[in-house]
Amino acid sequence: MDLARALGIDLSNYSELIEEVKQLKNDLGSSNSISERRILMSLEKIVDNWSLHLDILTLNLDLDFEDEAHISPFKNFLCPLTKEVMRDPVVLESAQTYERTAIQYWFERCLEDGRDPTCPVTGLVLKSLELKPNIGLAGAIEEWVNRNVDIQIKSAVQCLSEDPPAVNLVERALDSMYKISEEHPSSRCRIRDAGIVPLVVKLLKNSSKSIGSLLRSKAFMVLLSMCKDDECKKIMLEEGTSRLAIHGLIGNSDKEKEYATRLLLEFCNDEAYCRRAASEKGALVLLSGMADDLENPSLSHLAENVLNRMENVEDNIKHLAAAGRFDPLIKRLCEGPDDVKIEMASIVGEMTLANRSKEQIARQGAKTLVELLAKPEGRIASLKALYNLSSLDDNATLLVDSGVLPSLTEILFENQVVLPELKELAASILANLVSTPGHWELASADRASNTMQSESMVFELTSLLSLPLSTPRCQASLLQILCGIVSSPQASESTTAHIKAGDGIKVIIKFLEHHDVECRIYAFRLARVLSERLSVDFTNEFRPSNKLPMLREKIIDNQSTDGERSDAACILANLVLSENEVRTILEDSFVGWTVAKLKDQQQRLQSSMEEGLLGLLLHYTRSAGPQSISVIKENRLMTIFRDQLIVNPRPRLKQLASIGLKNLSEIGQELAGKGDLEPRHPKGLCSPLALICGGSKSPSSCPIHNAPCGDDSQFCLLRGNCVKPLVDSITDKDTSVQIAALEALSTLLLDTSSGSKRAIEELERLGVVSSVVSLFTEARPGELQERTIWMVERILRVESFTQQHSLNQSLVKALVDAFKHGNAITKRHAQDALTNLKQISGVSGKASSQNRGRR
């Protein structure tokens, strides 16, 4: 302006001013002055900016739908400094009008440069910096703005009403509506009255896929801006905008997610809107996922703010918990008044919880729930919550530490009139807590500090079980409690003794035929566990009541549950049956069914049923009677046991198979002693011819039995190819399997005659001797060492093996340790073995020498 005035050029004549600047540039082109060059460059830049023609795109309003879709501003509407339509026009003492913020900035620059403030247009030095509002001009500008706003709203309505919408026009319409709403908040009512909000919502509903993520973001941006108007917010919620915003949370771009989240945050400023937004399906789950996404901290922060506002509304607590946000619920449960605590406990009791959520609630709220048990009005809600939490095994320790056991047993054994539901819930929780071994075994279960496995507690449980007033659900839980206690390694022995002493066996057997399925299931399971320890007692209880056939019928009953059938098989296998009972109750035909079922179960991998079926077959291996021998041969039981030992990886089944092989081998020893192992020669007219032609070749003498054994003998471990599977089993990780396999192999060394040398040589060839010796050198004191040293002592009776192992220092050392630290039987076998090795005198002398040396 100063340059134009100095040159006498009109300010509006931009072209002439540019020519003057070009001439100046030519004049100074040869100048070497750096300051002059800088001045020239600055001057060119200033003139270039000033000489730009006014473009409607530079206005705050984006008014360019069509050429006629706007009213151009008058020249005096434009600030001489900013070249934009003024918002707050003010007049200086020079009578020139400027935008207030622009002229204030001009004054600040003048003062900073150390010169007097001047009027930019006239260049006059101002005596006063007073800024007077130009009310008339402001009114005219406002009227011009309103007219253009009306034009743009009309154009936006027309654009957004098209079907299908034109994407390029939709974007301009959304941009203009957003700018109008933000820059002219008073115009929001006109946008609302024109029906823009429903049109934008409709756009999101019907054309969401076609318009793309960018336009969806801008649509949410418009709604977010318009949401500041309460009437608009009401319209949005009526049109289902909150649901659209929730859908925007899974948008393709972060901008779409951001504006959708901001819109929800705006809704949540009001409690009613907050309640409605929280109830929308999937809202809380999506927001929780965003809040936990630390890779996008800005979105995470926004989502967390939305959730925090929702947490302040009481009605949202259940919805939040369903989405996995339990902090508000837990806080109210632990810190709220009693009625709120009870309400929160009810919510926990009714919900389907993930394991992580169960652990969180139990860790923070278990003590509060236990405290509620002491208040009659809070018992049911607290019990339901505790039952839900106790279904997670890992929560057992947390709940027991909170002191829940005495409260539960007090409700369960209370003599006063108590709602059956309370007893049922208390029993169910206890059943969950003792279902796995743990901290409950040492914790006090009542006010007298008795444990769950104590005599008084077991007596109370069995007594309550037999009461006629107990409901089937309560009885089933009581049976489950006893089953859990008996199954605990630490509590099993004492609990079994208490049940036996308190006539609990009779009570339990009655439930095997109960009309309630769940009662029968747990009764069979409990009887199976107890019969392993109390086989004789259970047999004596079954016999007088003639319940033995019932067990057999249960096993073959296809209408019963698999659990009942497998447990019935295990119970019957555990009982001590006489040979006559095996013949009359189980019947010979039952063996064929058992063998077929065992093969079927092996394919289905149902170990419990396999255990019972193998145990049933063991009944036929405990007698050497003619009928048992016939059944064994007919059904090839040794082959069955051998195959189970080879293919089955489960320790209990391998143990049972080894026991079966041991029993059959012992029968074989007995038959060999009687001379009954040799197969019969063929009889009839053709028998001489068969002998002459070699058709029936007499089998060679078995080195184990020193008598002929057929190749498919069901009583000879050697001919039955059972030695190698047994040798493999003595290296099993399970000690019970090792012991059972050793017992079976020990039957091969029972012969003390001269034939034992031949048997041991055969076992050496099969790798038995080296495996047994190796196992003995590694075995610790106990039953395994005792079984192994018996075989080692038998082997060392043969002189050739004595010489072979006399230099085996590991064996000698193991025998010395067994002689020093073993029990009486082990010491005797160790002494005999050392004597055979001719080491006993040397050991004594060496020990004495060492002792003397120590002195």
Side-chain angles (χ1 to χ4, degrees):
M1 290 179 184
D2 290 338
L3 182 62
R5 283 194 295 270
L7 294 172
I9 300 173
D10 185 13
L11 287 175
S12 61
N13 192 347
Y14 305 125
S15 58
E16 187 176 352
L17 182 60
I18 291 173
E19 287 298 324
E20 292 291 338
V21 172
K22 286 182 179 179
Q23 291 180 19
L24 178 62
K25 182 178 179 182
N26 292 332
D27 293 342
L28 298 176
S30 59
S31 174
N32 294 325
S33 172
I34 296 177
S35 61
E36 288 180 353
R37 288 181 176 274
R38 286 178 177 171
I39 291 172
L40 181 61
M41 291 175 63
S42 299
L43 185 60
E44 281 186 306
K45 190 177 295 184
I46 291 171
V47 173
D48 288 343
N49 290 335
W50 185 253
S51 62
L52 290 174
H53 291 288
L54 179 65
D55 191 338
I56 198 68
L57 289 174
T58 64
L59 298 177
N60 289 332
L61 292 175
D62 191 7
L63 310 177
D64 61 341
F65 284 102
E66 302 172 359
D67 292 339
E68 68 275 10
H70 69 273
I71 302 173
S72 299
F74 294 102
K75 184 177 179 181
N76 62 338
F77 286 4
L78 306 179
C79 173
L81 292 174
T82 65
K83 306 297 289 287
E84 294 180 353
V85 176
M86 291 181 282
R87 293 175 176 276
D88 186 8
V90 293
V91 182
L92 304 183
E93 65 177 358
S94 63
Q96 295 296 321
T97 301
Y98 301 92
E99 175 66 39
R100 180 184 295 273
T101 56
I103 193 61
Q104 286 176 339
Y105 180 73
W106 171 269
F107 290 160
E108 291 174 1
R109 292 300 302 271
C110 289
L111 295 174
E112 289 176 1
D113 293 342
R115 53 193 175 91
D116 294 331
T118 60
C119 173
V121 173
T122 65
L124 295 175
V125 176
L126 300 174
K127 297 179 180 179
S128 172
L129 300 183
E130 182 182 3
L131 304 177
K132 296 180 179 179
N134 192 335
I135 298 175
L137 182 59
I141 292 174
E142 183 179 0
E143 183 179 354
W144 173 81
V145 169
N146 289 338
R147 288 184 180 182
N148 277 290
V149 165
D150 290 338
I151 292 172
Q152 297 309 305
I153 291 175
K154 182 179 178 181
S155 298
V157 170
Q158 181 180 354
C159 172
L160 294 172
S161 299
E162 292 182 3
D163 191 17
V167 174
N168 58 331
L169 295 180
V170 167
E171 183 175 3
R172 293 180 181 179
L174 293 174
D175 286 341
S176 66
M177 291 302 100
Y178 174 74
K179 289 183 178 181
I180 291 172
S181 175
E182 285 295 301
E183 298 173 7
H184 305 281
S186 60
S187 299
R188 287 176 184 151
C189 60
R190 299 216 294 275
I191 298 175
R192 180 191 68 218
D193 295 340
I196 292 290
V197 171
L199 288 174
V200 175
V201 174
K202 180 182 176 183
L203 179 72
L204 286 170
K205 280 183 179 179
N206 300 338
S207 307
S208 179
K209 293 183 179 179
S210 61
I211 64 176
S213 181
L214 175 61
L215 289 189
R216 288 198 300 270
S217 303
K218 294 194 173 186
F220 282 127
M221 214 163 68
V222 172
L223 294 176
L224 176 62
S225 181
M226 292 297 297
C227 193
K228 297 169 185 176
D229 180 78
D230 290 339
E231 288 298 320
C232 287
K233 186 185 292 185
K234 184 177 179 181
I235 294 171
M236 290 179 201
L237 289 171
E238 290 174 352
E239 294 287 336
T241 310
S242 59
R243 191 176 300 110
L244 294 172
I246 291 164
H247 189 267
L249 299 178
I250 56 174
N252 296 330
S253 68
D254 288 344
K255 280 293 181 186
E256 182 180 355
K257 295 177 183 178
E258 178 186 345
Y259 286 114
T261 309
R262 289 186 183 278
L263 187 58
L264 286 174
L265 184 62
E266 189 65 32
F267 288 156
C268 290
N269 285 329
D270 184 274
E271 183 173 323
Y273 297 143
C274 181
R275 187 182 301 109
R276 187 178 301 182
S279 63
E280 292 289 352
K281 186 177 180 181
L284 295 175
V285 175
L286 292 172
L287 286 168
S288 297
M290 289 175 62
D292 294 336
D293 184 11
L294 300 180
E295 294 183 0
N296 198 330
S298 59
L299 280 178
S300 175
H301 181 67
L302 276 174
E304 189 67 35
N305 287 340
V306 176
L307 291 168
N308 288 338
R309 290 187 185 179
M310 290 182 173
E311 289 175 2
N312 295 325
V313 181
E314 199 72 30
D315 293 344
N316 289 344
I317 300 302
K318 188 172 183 179
H319 296 303
L320 288 163
R325 287 182 70 90
F326 288 94
D327 288 339
L329 183 147
I330 294 172
K331 183 177 180 180
R332 287 166 172 79
L333 174 65
C334 298
E335 301 175 7
D338 286 350
D339 58 331
V340 173
K341 290 181 178 179
I342 293 171
E343 183 183 358
M344 296 301 105
S346 299
I347 293 175
V348 175
E350 295 168 0
M351 291 186 65
T352 300
L353 301 172
N355 288 343
R356 179 181 177 184
S357 303
K358 291 177 183 178
E359 192 273 338
Q360 180 186 0
I361 298 172
R363 186 173 297 280
Q364 300 180 49
K367 290 186 178 180
T368 301
L369 292 172
V370 173
E371 291 171 0
L372 285 177
L373 293 178
K375 301 174 181 179
E377 66 276 11
R379 275 188 170 183
I380 289 183
S382 179
L383 285 170
K384 289 182 177 180
L386 288 168
Y387 174 68
N388 202 352
L389 300 179
S390 66
S391 60
L392 176 65
D393 291 341
D394 292 342
N395 275 348
T397 300
L398 293 173
L399 296 177
V400 170
D401 286 340
S402 68
V404 72
L405 291 181
S407 299
L408 293 175
T409 55
E410 185 175 345
I411 295 172
L412 188 60
F413 302 140
E414 195 169 350
N415 294 325
Q416 299 178 2
V417 178
V418 177
L419 289 174
E421 185 181 7
L422 293 178
K423 288 185 177 290
E424 291 172 357
L425 287 169
S428 299
I429 298 167
L430 283 170
N432 287 341
L433 294 178
V434 302
S435 60
T436 54
H439 190 53
W440 60 266
E441 298 162 336
L442 304 175
S444 298
D446 59 12
R447 307 300 177 189
S449 299
N450 291 307
T451 60
M452 288 299 297
Q453 64 267 30
S454 64
E455 183 178 4
S456 62
M457 193 61 61
V458 173
F459 176 77
E460 290 281 3
L461 290 169
T462 53
S463 299
L464 184 59
L465 188 61
S466 59
L467 287 179
L469 296 177
S470 298
T471 63
R473 182 186 172 188
C474 184
Q475 290 172 326
S477 296
L478 291 170
L479 289 166
Q480 189 181 359
I481 292 170
L482 289 170
C483 189
I485 300 174
V486 169
S487 300
S488 166
Q490 185 168 339
S492 177
E493 186 174 353
S494 60
T495 307
T496 303
H498 298 327
I499 291 175
K500 176 182 177 181
D503 288 335
I505 297 177
K506 292 181 180 179
V507 177
I508 294 166
I509 288 177
K510 291 179 181 179
F511 281 90
L512 297 179
E513 297 179 285
H514 199 276
H515 62 87
D516 183 76
V517 175
E518 196 170 7
C519 284
R520 289 202 309 272
I521 289 174
Y522 288 115
F524 271 102
R525 190 176 301 175
L526 178 58
R528 175 177 63 83
V529 177
L530 288 172
S531 62
E532 294 175 5
R533 288 178 173 269
L534 304 175
S535 56
V536 175
D537 301 275
F538 266 87
T539 305
N540 294 335
E541 288 293 339
F542 275 115
R543 277 175 180 152
S545 56
N546 198 27
K547 297 290 186 183
L548 292 174
M550 179 272 293
L551 292 174
R552 182 196 61 199
E553 297 302 321
K554 176 64 69 174
I555 296 171
I556 62 177
D557 181 16
N558 292 326
Q559 301 301 317
S560 298
T561 65
D562 290 340
E564 290 178 80
R565 297 175 67 190
S566 60
D567 287 334
C570 291
I571 293 168
L572 193 54
N574 291 335
L575 299 182
V576 182
L577 303 180
S578 65
E579 184 177 357
N580 183 58
E581 286 173 326
V582 171
R583 185 172 59 254
T584 57
I585 296 173
L586 298 183
E587 301 176 351
D588 296 344
S589 61
F590 187 68
V591 183
W593 180 91
T594 303
V595 170
K597 194 68 176 176
L598 186 61
K599 294 178 180 179
D600 179 59
Q601 292 297 316
Q602 185 174 331
Q603 295 175 355
R604 297 184 184 182
L605 300 176
Q606 296 184 6
S607 60
S608 183
M609 189 63 170
E610 284 184 272
E611 179 183 336
L613 295 174
L614 275 177
L616 290 174
L617 293 180
L618 289 182
H619 282 303
Y620 297 93
T621 67
R622 296 189 176 105
S623 170
Q627 190 168 356
S628 295
I629 292 174
S630 176
V631 169
I632 292 168
K633 288 182 176 180
E634 181 180 350
N635 293 278
R636 302 180 61 80
L637 294 192
M638 177 168 280
T639 305
I640 296 294
F641 289 130
R642 181 199 65 198
D643 293 344
Q644 286 290 321
L645 191 62
I646 294 173
V647 302
N648 217 312
R650 292 181 282 274
R652 177 59 179 165
L653 299 181
K654 294 174 76 171
Q655 180 189 18
L656 292 173
S658 298
I659 294 173
L661 293 176
K662 183 201 76 163
N663 293 345
L664 293 176
S665 181
E666 288 175 344
I667 294 176
Q669 293 284 0
E670 185 177 342
L671 294 177
K674 298 177 181 178
D676 292 339
L677 270 179
E678 183 178 354
R680 303 294 183 185
H681 293 293
K683 295 181 179 180
L685 295 173
C686 297
S687 56
L689 183 61
L691 290 172
I692 294 172
C693 298
S696 178
K697 191 175 181 179
S698 178
S700 59
S701 175
C702 171
I704 302 299
H705 298 110
N706 203 24
C709 292
D711 290 338
D712 60 346
S713 173
Q714 295 299 302
F715 301 100
C716 178
L717 296 180
L718 181 62
R719 300 301 189 196
N721 297 318
C722 300
V723 175
K724 186 179 184 308
L726 287 169
V727 171
D728 293 339
S729 296
I730 66 175
T731 59
D732 195 273
K733 295 180 180 179
D734 191 279
T735 304
S736 62
V737 175
Q738 292 179 295
I739 292 173
L742 284 171
E743 288 180 339
L745 291 172
S746 297
T747 60
L748 303 176
L749 299 175
L750 293 176
D751 184 15
T752 57
S753 64
S754 58
S756 62
K757 178 181 178 182
R758 185 183 173 201
I760 294 174
E761 289 175 348
E762 180 66 19
L763 295 181
E764 168 71 11
R765 186 183 68 82
L766 295 172
V768 177
V769 173
S770 59
S771 297
V772 170
V773 171
S774 176
L775 179 62
F776 171 69
T777 59
E778 299 173 0
R780 295 181 178 180
E783 187 176 2
L784 181 63
Q785 186 191 60
E786 186 178 331
R787 300 287 180 182
T788 314
I789 199 173
W790 182 91
M791 294 187 69
V792 170
E793 191 274 328
R794 286 291 177 121
I795 293 169
L796 294 179
R797 290 181 182 182
V798 179
E799 185 176 354
S800 59
F801 287 93
T802 301
Q803 296 173 354
Q804 178 182 341
H805 292 282
S806 60
L807 300 178
N808 187 337
Q809 295 302 313
S810 297
L811 175 60
V812 173
K813 183 178 183 301
L815 288 169
V816 171
D817 290 341
F819 180 71
K820 289 181 177 179
H821 307 295
N823 57 28
I825 298 176
T826 303
K827 285 183 177 182
R828 178 166 55 82
H829 290 316
Q831 181 177 353
D832 292 343
L834 288 168
T835 301
N836 292 331
L837 288 172
K838 299 180 180 179
Q839 294 285 331
I840 192 69
S841 59
V843 169
S844 301
K846 187 175 181 180
S848 301
S849 174
Q850 290 175 348
N851 290 337
R852 286 193 298 270
R854 288 192 190 99
R855 294 193 195 98

